[in-house]
Amino acid sequence: MNSPDILHAAGLGLGTGLALIVAIGAQNAFVLRQGIRGEHVGPIVAVCAISDAALIAAGVLGTGALITAAPAAVVVLRYVGAAFLVTYGVMAARRILKPQALVSADPGSPGGGRGGLAPALTTVLALTWLNPHVYLDTVLLLGSVANAQARGLQWWFGAGAMLGSILWFCSLGFGAKLLRGFFARPASWRILDGGIAVTMVGLGVGLALGR
């Protein structure tokens, strides 16, 4: 292996990883909301990045073959994930209908109390690990591309993909504070929660239908 090959593999991993993760999804919507509220951003970003790293590593190790060999497990996970996403979407919709439940970006403002760390981590773990697409995209797809690299470059590809995940979640979580001024108004939270509700329910229904 030489430096150009390593850089090419790592760069390809970075680009491929970002292409898969930079999209409107349940996990990203939750990280964005927590970032705007300034609640437990560090732990949530860490959980997302570590989870992605574990999934990418599993793909490089060839775990995708196990997923292909156990389609029934993916089906079960699909329905459990769909139920969770729809439930979360309904909860977001309820926040629109009950203005007193809307939270301003300032924790000291009326209705601006911080949520607990444990519930936040439980939610982000569920949004990450109960999503069957994460196994098909991250483990199976990224794993396949990684193992298509020349011998010895698979882990450099994986490292690039992991770096992309870290950069994305840090940007999404910590960069969201730039939007706090806009989200100081309850109407802005209605818009955000409306988008989250539609996204979550749409993803949940899509999962249930096998799309």
Side-chain angles (χ1 to χ4, degrees):
M1 290 185 296
N2 52 48
S3 296
D5 290 337
I6 291 174
L7 290 175
H8 178 268
L12 181 61
L14 175 65
T16 306
L18 286 173
L20 289 175
I21 198 173
V22 179
I24 298 175
Q27 184 192 53
N28 287 341
F30 182 76
V31 174
L32 176 64
R33 192 175 197 279
Q34 292 298 114
I36 292 171
R37 293 181 61 170
E39 289 190 358
H40 317 300
V41 180
I44 287 173
V45 167
V47 166
C48 291
I50 292 171
S51 295
D52 258 22
L55 290 163
I56 292 167
V60 175
L61 289 170
T63 309
L66 294 178
I67 297 173
T68 304
V74 176
V75 172
V76 171
L77 193 66
R78 188 178 83 206
Y79 287 114
V80 173
F84 181 84
L85 288 174
V86 171
T87 300
Y88 191 88
V90 171
M91 290 170 60
R94 288 181 62 187
R95 290 195 295 264
I96 303 170
L97 300 175
K98 295 183 178 181
Q100 68 271 20
L102 294 172
V103 182
S104 148
D106 180 7
S109 64
R114 292 170 62 86
L117 175 60
L121 293 181
T122 300
T123 299
V124 76
L125 283 169
L127 290 173
T128 301
W129 293 92
L130 289 181
N131 178 9
H133 287 304
V134 77
Y135 299 99
L136 298 176
D137 291 345
T138 306
V139 179
L140 200 56
L141 197 154
L142 270 180
S144 298
V145 179
N147 286 293
Q149 305 304 304
R151 184 178 179 81
L153 294 177
Q154 297 93 329
W155 285 106
W156 288 105
F157 176 93
M162 291 177 192
L163 176 61
S165 177
I166 293 171
L167 292 174
W168 169 249
F169 285 118
C170 285
S171 300
L172 188 64
F174 295 107
K177 64 182 180 181
L178 300 175
L179 299 173
R180 287 181 190 170
F182 175 72
F183 283 98
R185 302 186 298 272
S188 301
W189 283 100
R190 287 192 178 93
I191 295 171
L192 177 65
D193 283 324
I196 290 175
V198 171
T199 298
M200 298 293 187
V201 173
L203 289 172
V205 172
L207 277 182
L209 297 177
R211 295 176 183 173

